[in-house]
Amino acid sequence: MHRYARSSGDPMKLLLRRDQRSGMLGKQIFSLDVRADVSAEEKATIAKYRLGETQLYASHEITGGHGLLGVASRLAWKAVTIHINVNDLANGKRVEAKDVVELLAIEGHIREAAKTFVEILNAAKHFGGEEVVELA
């Protein structure tokens, strides 16, 4: 994906690229490449607070199930579960979907996760100091 140069005062941008390819049996597979344009200062904050593995989004989260069948079902779902953590946004990640509707739903969740990511970074930058918030 293209790298954009941004100054420390510019807001973070989420870079998205949609694509498709033919899979087995001629079915279309839709993909989304996603990466946040993270500044050097933001990378330092991620490292300082060890935020890299912080999960921002997971699809199809499965809980419950008992015994061997429960373990097997959780492992099967884990194989198709999409996880997005801070490192994925900072370094880029490709996700795939079986149809356009699913891909757009995933994209919407990733956009929300990226907004949460920005809020986390903003909060982390203000520990040990003051923040002035305009209310009007």
Side-chain angles (χ1 to χ4, degrees):
M1 294 185 90
H2 187 273
R3 288 250 180 224
Y4 292 95
R6 84 181 234 265
S7 66
S8 61
D10 291 342
M12 183 184 299
K13 291 179 177 40
L14 185 63
L15 310 171
L16 304 168
R17 187 175 81 202
R18 295 180 206 98
D19 206 353
Q20 68 182 37
R21 64 179 168 80
S22 292
M24 296 174 74
L25 306 173
K27 285 186 136 185
Q28 291 297 306
I29 298 171
F30 300 90
S31 64
L32 176 68
D33 291 313
V34 59
R35 184 177 56 80
D37 185 25
V38 181
S39 70
E41 178 186 358
E42 291 160 340
K43 286 180 183 179
T45 301
I46 291 167
K48 177 179 179 179
Y49 292 102
R50 297 183 179 151
L51 297 171
E53 296 301 318
T54 301
Q55 184 170 294
L56 299 171
Y57 169 71
S59 66
H60 308 296
E61 201 59 45
I62 299 298
T63 59
H66 300 288
L68 189 57
L69 185 59
V71 170
S73 66
R74 284 190 298 277
L75 287 175
W77 275 104
K78 189 168 183 74
V80 296
T81 301
I82 297 167
H83 295 275
I84 303 291
N85 63 30
V86 170
N87 282 337
D88 292 332
L89 280 185
N91 300 323
K93 181 165 183 156
R94 171 173 282 190
V95 296
E96 294 185 338
K98 62 183 182 202
D99 60 45
V100 174
V101 173
E102 181 183 19
L103 185 75
L104 291 177
I106 291 167
E107 182 180 318
H109 291 295
I110 291 173
R111 286 174 185 251
E112 288 303 312
K115 290 176 185 176
T116 301
F117 174 46
V118 169
E119 290 174 11
I120 291 167
L121 285 177
N122 286 336
K125 284 193 281 187
H126 292 96
F127 286 118
E130 289 184 347
E131 178 180 7
V132 176
V133 179
E134 289 187 30
L135 300 176

